[in-house]
Amino acid sequence: MTQPLKVMTVFGTRPDTVKMAPVVHALTAARPSIQPLICVTAQHREMLDDLLELFEIVPDDDLDIMTADQTLTEVTTRVLIGMERVLTARQPDVVLVHGDTTTSSAAALAAFYRQIPVAHVEAGLRTATRWEPFPEEMNRRLTGRLASFHFAPTARARANLERENVAGADIFVTGNTVIDAFVETARRAELIGDAPEPAWHGLDSGRPWIFVTAHRRENHEAMPEICRALAEIAGLPQRPQILWPVHPSPRVAPIAHRILDGIAGVSLVAPLSYSATVRSIARCRLVLTDSGGLQEEAPCLGKPVLVMRRETERPEGIEAGTLKLVGSDRTAIVAQTGLLLEDEVAYARMARAHNPYGDGLASGRIVGWLLARLRGGPLPEEFRAAA
Ligand code: UD1
């Protein structure tokens, strides 16, 4: 009998855990053809642990690297050293990393040093500048150079890789696994549809509310400006309410609390569980964020997303009309939010529930492709058609 394919998934922050969870589930379902190995870096600690519990994932290895106010160099070196030990002990046939975190680029480099092929999930996203988002844009470019196989979420991501001379045969368009996670979570909790309206963090269900997240390094300096914009929004005539689950980073949380604590209509809460996040998106009027994942998730539920960044690596959402870039300028944030609160036509234009990022079946495609490719078999018909 052929030996099972040893596939190690590596992740460690909130977004890559959400997006890798359905892949882990699909790999587990493919036993005994596959032997799944799970390594978490714990670049995030509490936010990771909540998700492991929600998705019922038990890691085989936990590098436990997080420290307070960690630098990128500290994260990178700890992942490199920890991964060398784990890779030597486990000897996987292939290592799967995700997206653009420092966990991913460092784990990919460690695998490359051990000459173990790397497969990159959510490959090929690009902005026009290496500095934005920082350091994620460079993380994903580096991971792309180190990877042997590329699972691109969209045709555009595939084209980006081809422009960088990645061989077409090594790229496979799967859709984004975040949609798999989102759909699974929403279905499990029966959140979409006629869910009841409990009081949410003291929010009044009769008034519109806005779901906010902000944490990016390139926004750290602008954090006071963003907070002042939120204070102003809370004073708009529609009396919108704001729910902001604040990232625990010392560069974010203290500023948010200093400026916004005590302002009527603004609820700053600790990071929400993933299912509460999905629920919040389902109930809000619009999303104001600098996150990448929310740009993919909110359109699933037809919620407009104002992106507090100057660039996005997700232009498909801009074209589809569900995303709009507003940067971190207070006036622009307030004006665009005000428009979506008062102008039903402008709102409806953005709220069309069209999602260019996937159909919820990406993880199965990834596993099928890995088995076909690394076990030497022909690509199944479905994959030939989709590739
Ligand atoms: C990282 C990712 C970013 C992703 C984000 C989601 C990189 C370079 N960036 O950025 O792409 O959008 O995760 O959150 O990989 N902290 C805690 N508890 C936690 C998590 C974080 O206290 O559960 C603190 C840490 O001490 C750390 C700070 O938050 O000092 C920032 O975390 P870090 O992983 O360095 O960067 P993020 O901004 O979270």
Side-chain angles (χ1 to χ4, degrees):
M1 205 187 96
T2 347
Q3 288 292 308
L5 184 69
K6 275 197 200 178
V7 183
M8 176 177 282
T9 38
V10 185
F11 47 94
T13 70
R14 181 170 49 179
D16 58 11
T17 306
V18 168
K19 292 172 169 190
M20 282 299 230
V23 179
V24 168
H25 293 162
L27 290 166
T28 307
R31 279 178 173 143
S33 307
I34 282 179
Q35 180 188 344
L37 296 166
I38 301 157
C39 175
V40 296
T41 63
Q43 178 179 334
H44 290 171
R45 185 73 268 173
E46 53 273 37
M47 295 203 292
L48 170 78
D49 291 341
D50 276 359
L51 286 166
L52 293 176
E53 193 180 321
L54 172 75
F55 288 110
E56 296 171 20
I57 292 174
V58 181
D60 300 291
D61 295 284
D62 186 337
L63 306 186
D64 197 20
I65 66 158
M66 193 187 99
T67 56
D69 213 2
Q70 59 204 2
T71 67
L72 292 167
T73 303
E74 286 166 338
V75 172
T76 306
T77 49
R78 285 194 204 111
V79 172
L80 271 174
I81 291 165
M83 282 309 300
E84 177 165 65
R85 179 174 43 76
V86 169
L87 292 170
T88 307
R90 304 277 184 190
Q91 310 226 354
D93 297 310
V94 60
V95 170
L96 250 62
V97 297
H98 184 278
D100 59 18
T101 63
T102 297
T103 281
S104 304
S105 55
L109 183 58
F112 178 78
Y113 285 157
R114 301 281 313 164
Q115 299 186 29
I116 299 168
V118 171
H120 190 195
V121 180
E122 197 184 76
L125 275 63
R126 295 289 183 272
T127 63
T129 154
R130 53 162 63 187
W131 295 105
E132 289 190 35
F134 174 84
E136 289 82 3
E137 180 62 24
M138 187 51 75
N139 281 343
R140 64 183 156 229
R141 291 186 193 193
L142 290 172
T143 308
R145 301 306 290 183
L146 293 164
S148 299
F149 311 118
H150 309 259
F151 296 114
T154 64
R156 184 188 293 261
R158 179 193 179 101
N160 289 340
L161 290 164
E162 284 174 339
R163 254 196 309 280
E164 294 173 9
N165 296 323
V166 177
D170 297 332
I171 312 169
F172 182 57
V173 178
T174 58
N176 197 312
T177 61
V178 76
I179 308 302
D180 307 19
F182 193 79
V183 169
E184 184 191 316
T185 306
R187 196 187 296 126
R188 240 198 293 175
E190 295 177 339
L191 300 172
I192 300 174
D194 57 354
E197 284 282 341
W200 266 81
H201 302 284
L203 297 175
D204 169 359
S205 61
R207 283 159 54 199
W209 52 279
I210 301 170
F211 187 64
V212 174
T213 77
H215 69 272
R216 292 238 166 232
R217 276 180 174 72
E218 72 264 28
N219 272 340
H220 283 175
E221 257 186 48
M223 210 44 79
E225 177 87 350
I226 289 173
C227 293
R228 282 192 281 271
L230 297 177
E232 220 173 293
I233 289 168
L236 288 173
Q238 297 80 8
R239 295 175 57 235
Q241 305 162 97
I242 288 164
L243 177 63
W244 181 4
V246 183
H247 192 295
S249 169
R251 313 275 157 192
V252 178
I255 297 146
H257 284 286
R258 178 167 51 79
I259 299 178
L260 291 169
D261 274 350
I263 296 202
V266 179
S267 284
L268 302 186
V269 297
L272 297 176
S273 70
Y274 188 60
S275 63
T277 302
V278 174
R279 215 178 241 263
S280 302
I281 299 170
R283 284 156 197 226
C284 73
R285 178 159 169 99
L286 66 114
V287 174
L288 197 51
T289 188
D290 62 5
S291 135
L294 273 166
Q295 295 177 48
E296 296 152 345
E297 291 161 335
C300 268
L301 298 174
K303 303 296 173 166
V305 184
L306 297 178
V307 184
M308 294 189 285
R309 289 168 51 183
R310 284 183 301 195
E311 289 224 39
T312 180
E313 57 294 274
R314 290 157 170 100
E316 299 89 345
I318 303 269
E319 280 155 22
T322 56
L323 310 181
K324 197 184 270 184
L325 288 176
V326 294
S328 53
D329 173 66
R330 182 175 51 88
T331 322
I333 295 171
V334 177
Q336 292 295 330
T337 305
L339 181 73
L340 288 178
L341 289 170
E342 73 189 16
D343 183 339
E344 287 305 330
V345 177
Y347 183 84
R349 217 179 293 131
M350 284 190 79
R352 282 173 308 185
H354 166 62
N355 195 323
Y357 298 110
D359 57 6
L361 303 172
S363 307
R365 292 191 186 103
I366 289 169
V367 174
W369 193 93
L370 281 173
L371 275 173
R373 179 69 181 257
L374 296 177
R375 280 291 171 251
L379 277 177
E381 189 60 45
E382 184 215 345
F383 301 132
R384 261 179 275 161

